[in-house]
Amino acid sequence: MLNIKNLHVKLEEEDKQILKGVNLSLEPGKVHAIMGPNGSGKSTLSYVLSGKGGYEVTDGTAQLEGVDILDMEAEERAAAGLFLAFQYPVEIPGVGNMTFLRTAVNAQRKLRGEEEMSAGEFLKVVRAKAKDLKIDAEMLKRPVNVGFSGGEKKRNEILQMAMLEPKMCILDETDSGLDVDAMKLVAQGVNALRDDKRTFLVITHYQRLLDHIKPDVVHIMANGRIIKTGGPELALEVENNGYADLLEETA
Amino acid sequence: MAASSQNTPGGRALRDAQLIDSSGAWAKEARIAASDRAQAAGLPQRRDEYWKYTRPDAFVQSEVTLQASLCRSLETFNQRTTVLVTFEDGKIQSAALPSAGHCTLESLASASALDLHWARDIYGRLEAAGQTPVQRSLASVNTAVAREGLMLNVTGAVAAPIHIHATSSGQTDAIVHNVIKVAAGAEVTLIETGQYGARTNSVLEVDVADGGRFHHIRVQDGDERHLLTHIFGKVGAEATFKSFTLTAGGQLTRNECVLQLLGDDASVSVAGACLGDGRFHHDDTVFITHDAVNCESRQVFKKVLRNGAVGVFQGKILVKAGAQKTDGYQISQSLLLDDDSQFLAKPELEIYADDVACSHGSTSGAIDAQALFYLRSRGVPEAQAVDLMTLSFVAEAIEEIEDADLAQDILDHLTETLSAR
């Protein structure tokens, strides 16, 4: 699904190398988790993959279903099936959540040369999906993320994901700022979207989220590289021993 | 004084002898007084502080150089049931003047032919009261020479909005003077769309008596036009005055609004959203005087500018001695979509009472990169994402509109305007 080879990235405005040769191969239908200490480059990886400005790719490639994405605009990557659930979803006052969702769904369809979703059809679909995430009609009407609690913002991210039906979902510290109940609800939403074609890359500091979204593969990232890859047990090892041992191993 | 025609050199006529001769007693008096005011003050000049950010030349010179163009703003309110008053080339279509419950509609021409008329206490009076501390002589010129306008006397709650729609073609020089009297406890909504002329000098005088409610929604569009508007409002105790303007076109616009809060517990709001693109200069000049206890005033102005467009805001709150418990709010903000556009703001507070809350702020900024990325990461192309951010930015001004349906109409008009450009 997503193949990252030897990805080197620096900040555009500073001579600071953040990613120093990341290699990842994510198969369809799998959930990969990336764990790592602060500053290891996890969030940068998610931003670079989804097309945020301010970074410069100095080497390497990233392909989504065999197509290079690094030269695409952010919206083209989205239309190609990439989705990033933000660590800090942005508030957009004055734009209704529903308007935003419909604009996004139809913009992607248009970019893909598909027919737009009618207002009636959209309403039907969004109501059903919102219900599963315990998002009520009032929350759909409110401006995007404005006045939402941490949990509501993350549920809203998952709702967007459910509406946009991406092939490749990147979740950037989706557990941050969530209490246990909110995390369970979000995880349920994610799990409901799992199927044998859709791929997930779950970025997190803590093993806790992975109790609820069970990964197939766990990677440890440090200092801009993947330093270890293993099964779900690797996450438990980190939880018990911290990153220090792993960092020493690879030093 | 002899009723001879007087012109300033190369500029506006300050007096219309034939019009004065044909006016009834009250109008004659008002016109002569206004002409004298204009004469004494002189026409605005570039060096005037009050015209520091906007050149008055286009409004002062004798020639009209532009062609009026068609605008789409009528369609915006087509779905609403309104009482439609039309102007063509600056002239009110008085033969087609509608009637509605709890109010009377007349043309200025028919009202000014009478020796006695209710408008006598308002026409030119509120304009004259708005001449200090700065002189707005082009408003006096308007009072002196205006032949066209709507006189609206509101005596109860008028169910449907009164809707003025103006169309013009060619190089029309329109001078329009509308007067509205809202009786105690009465209520009306006025919608203004279209354009009176290629060049327009308009005055709207509104007297809202105790407990009255006046709502004003205005859409200014068109391509090439020069527009100078004045609102003079007098607001009584427990009365409400709300005016919202959307400007989405035209080369030059100056909207002046002068309000006096004269009764306790009154509430006023003046708001505007503007979209400026290219050859576009837009000026909001507001002066609100608090002269009673426990009144609230709000000024909310949002301008989105690109391709060298210029936005101006001059807003003042004057709190007179004794106007205790005043709650004044003023915000003017611009979203600059490129480095060529500019926003010039002069917010002022002048307070002579000691138990007052007044807040003001003014900002200029570029589009929020993180928000733009958020929208694009959801598949919204950049141009469309900028439009959404534009809607987001002006939302606070649109929220000042009390009627949710009319606010939606404005939002729809804005969305259409954005997607058409």
Side-chain angles (χ1 to χ4, degrees):
Chain A
M1 175 64 68
L2 182 66
N3 277 296
I4 302 167
K5 280 190 189 139
N6 194 31
L7 187 61
H8 285 71
V9 172
K10 70 181 266 297
L11 289 181
E12 213 168 54
E13 310 230 315
E14 255 180 85
D15 205 19
K16 191 176 172 192
Q17 200 74 31
I18 313 254
L19 300 184
K20 302 168 183 172
V22 174
N23 290 291
L24 272 177
S25 182
L26 313 182
E27 314 79 10
K30 299 291 183 198
V31 174
H32 286 237
I34 294 189
M35 303 180 71
N38 291 327
S40 55
K42 306 186 298 294
S43 285
T44 296
L45 178 64
S46 73
Y47 283 148
V48 169
L49 290 173
S50 48
K52 189 180 182 187
Y55 301 101
E56 189 186 329
V57 176
T58 52
D59 201 5
T61 59
Q63 292 186 329
L64 183 66
E65 294 188 307
V67 180
D68 276 309
I69 58 169
L70 293 178
D71 288 332
M72 290 183 181
E73 300 289 353
E75 56 268 29
E76 293 169 338
R77 300 183 200 199
L82 190 80
F83 181 91
L84 170 66
F86 278 52
Q87 182 179 1
Y88 304 108
V90 179
E91 296 184 3
I92 307 175
V95 176
N97 213 4
M98 201 80 122
T99 308
F100 165 62
L101 271 173
R102 191 158 165 240
T103 305
V105 167
N106 282 333
Q108 288 203 11
R109 287 184 169 220
K110 206 169 155 191
L111 283 171
R112 288 195 293 260
E114 297 166 11
E115 210 173 297
E116 293 192 2
M117 209 187 239
S118 74
E121 190 190 349
F122 173 81
L123 208 61
K124 215 170 86 186
V125 176
V126 81
R127 278 189 183 144
K129 296 196 173 183
K131 201 176 161 210
D132 293 340
L133 287 157
K134 295 198 167 67
I135 290 174
D136 58 20
E138 209 260 313
M139 211 172 126
L140 285 173
K141 265 195 229 157
R142 269 151 65 186
V144 181
N145 293 326
V146 177
F148 286 26
S149 70
E152 285 174 334
K153 281 183 181 170
K154 297 298 169 77
R155 262 147 57 202
N156 204 27
E157 291 292 286
I158 306 304
L159 174 65
Q160 291 169 31
M161 191 159 90
M163 288 303 297
L164 295 169
E165 299 182 320
K167 299 168 184 162
M168 175 69 232
C169 310
I170 304 172
L171 278 62
D172 186 12
E173 303 205 15
T174 290
D175 49 340
S176 74
L178 295 189
D179 60 37
V180 180
D181 293 334
M183 190 166 65
K184 277 185 188 162
L185 197 56
V186 166
Q188 272 171 24
V190 172
N191 289 332
L193 291 170
R194 287 178 75 160
D195 64 29
D196 56 1
K197 294 195 190 73
R198 186 169 288 137
T199 306
F200 289 84
L201 182 62
V202 180
I203 295 172
T204 182
H205 274 292
Y206 304 106
Q207 192 270 336
R208 200 178 57 164
L209 179 67
L210 305 179
D211 284 341
H212 303 287
I213 305 174
K214 299 236 182 297
D216 299 296
V217 185
V218 174
H219 308 273
I220 307 298
M221 190 165 182
N223 196 21
R225 286 188 193 88
I226 303 293
I227 57 166
K228 190 161 186 178
T229 295
E233 72 286 349
L234 187 54
L236 288 167
E237 194 185 319
V238 168
E239 183 76 1
N240 295 329
N241 307 331
Y243 293 110
D245 294 355
L246 286 168
L247 291 174
E248 265 171 40
E249 258 176 56
T250 55
Chain B
M1 184 180 280
S4 62
S5 287
Q6 290 163 318
N7 285 21
T8 52
R12 289 276 196 181
L14 303 184
R15 182 171 291 231
D16 182 337
Q18 193 240 325
L19 177 62
I20 289 173
D21 285 344
S22 63
S23 291
W26 74 270
K28 189 174 283 182
E29 191 190 326
R31 292 184 188 285
I32 290 172
S35 170
D36 291 346
R37 276 198 298 281
Q39 191 75 39
L43 292 176
Q45 307 204 4
R46 281 191 199 177
R47 63 169 182 270
D48 291 345
E49 175 68 19
Y50 175 61
W51 286 88
K52 187 174 178 179
Y53 303 115
T54 300
R55 289 187 166 188
D57 308 31
F59 301 127
V60 172
Q61 69 202 13
S62 55
E63 299 293 303
V64 177
T65 51
L66 298 178
Q67 295 279 342
S69 57
L70 289 175
C71 26
R72 303 175 300 110
S73 47
L74 175 63
E75 293 143 38
T76 304
F77 299 99
N78 260 352
Q79 304 303 314
R80 307 272 162 236
T81 307
T82 63
V83 179
L84 191 63
V85 177
T86 52
F87 282 71
E88 277 176 32
D89 289 329
K91 295 183 170 54
I92 189 167
Q93 302 302 290
S94 42
L97 262 184
S99 60
H102 305 295
C103 66
T104 58
L105 296 94
E106 281 168 273
S107 69
L108 171 60
S110 70
S112 66
L114 305 171
D115 278 331
L116 256 181
H117 193 268
W118 58 262
R120 163 181 88 162
D121 297 329
I122 304 172
Y123 187 94
R125 297 287 179 96
L126 303 194
E127 174 257 296
Q131 293 295 339
T132 51
V134 287
Q135 281 164 326
R136 300 159 208 270
S137 52
L138 287 166
S140 302
V141 171
N142 178 305
T143 303
V145 305
R147 288 168 177 266
E148 301 294 335
L150 172 70
M151 310 278 107
L152 174 63
N153 190 11
V154 182
T155 52
V158 179
I162 307 292
H163 181 176
I164 294 177
H165 182 65
T167 53
S168 178
S169 55
Q171 299 181 330
T172 316
D173 190 17
I175 297 184
V176 173
H177 198 120
N178 298 319
V179 176
I180 299 180
K181 182 180 181 181
V182 181
E187 178 167 9
V188 72
T189 297
L190 174 72
I191 297 172
E192 269 187 289
T193 55
Q195 54 191 338
Y196 295 109
R199 179 172 75 175
T200 300
N201 173 341
S202 79
V203 168
L204 168 65
E205 289 175 297
V206 187
D207 184 344
V208 189
D210 295 353
R213 298 172 74 80
F214 174 70
H215 301 275
H216 183 213
I217 314 278
R218 184 161 63 165
V219 180
Q220 303 172 330
D221 51 7
D223 303 325
E224 284 195 348
R225 54 144 187 80
H226 291 160
L227 174 63
L228 170 65
T229 75
H230 310 83
I231 297 173
F232 295 97
K234 190 175 131 187
V235 186
E238 292 176 35
T240 302
F241 179 110
K242 285 191 156 196
S243 177
F244 171 87
T245 304
L246 171 66
T247 309
Q251 283 183 5
L252 173 61
T253 307
R254 166 127 157 171
N255 292 323
E256 297 194 17
C257 183
V258 184
L259 300 180
Q260 298 187 74
L261 286 77
L262 300 178
D264 296 349
D265 305 302
S267 163
V268 304
S269 156
V270 190
C274 102
L275 297 183
D277 191 358
R279 199 165 166 194
F280 178 94
H281 182 107
H282 186 276
D283 177 334
D284 282 300
T285 292
V286 182
F287 195 106
I288 294 179
T289 304
H290 282 260
D291 201 3
V293 174
N294 202 31
C295 292
E296 184 195 9
S297 73
R298 297 172 60 80
Q299 300 173 44
V300 181
F301 290 93
K302 302 272 187 159
K303 299 177 201 262
V304 184
L305 307 167
R306 69 173 193 186
N307 293 325
V310 178
V312 175
F313 173 75
Q314 305 186 100
K316 181 158 180 171
I317 306 174
L318 169 65
V319 181
K320 289 200 171 176
Q324 302 293 15
K325 308 280 180 197
T326 287
D327 183 359
Y329 175 71
Q330 181 194 77
I331 183 91
S332 63
Q333 294 181 305
S334 73
L335 177 62
L336 303 176
L337 297 180
D338 54 41
D339 293 340
D340 302 326
S341 304
Q342 55 172 328
F343 178 54
L344 304 155
K346 194 171 81 172
E348 288 178 281
L349 300 177
E350 197 175 322
I351 302 173
Y352 296 99
D354 57 9
D355 184 10
V356 164
C358 277
S359 60
H360 69 117
S362 184
T363 64
S364 275
I367 213 151
D368 177 356
Q370 181 71 3
L372 195 61
F373 171 57
Y374 188 62
L375 293 171
R376 295 180 70 186
S377 78
R378 297 305 180 246
V380 182
E382 187 172 7
Q384 208 182 342
V386 169
D387 288 351
L388 273 179
M389 294 299 294
T390 298
L391 290 174
S392 166
F393 181 76
V394 301
E396 190 190 350
I398 295 175
E399 279 163 17
E400 291 293 308
I401 301 172
E402 209 167 277
D403 184 307
D405 290 338
L406 292 178
Q408 188 59 48
D409 288 343
I410 290 292
L411 206 57
D412 291 347
H413 183 77
L414 200 55
T415 309
E416 259 178 57
T417 305
L418 286 169
S419 61
R421 73 182 197 180

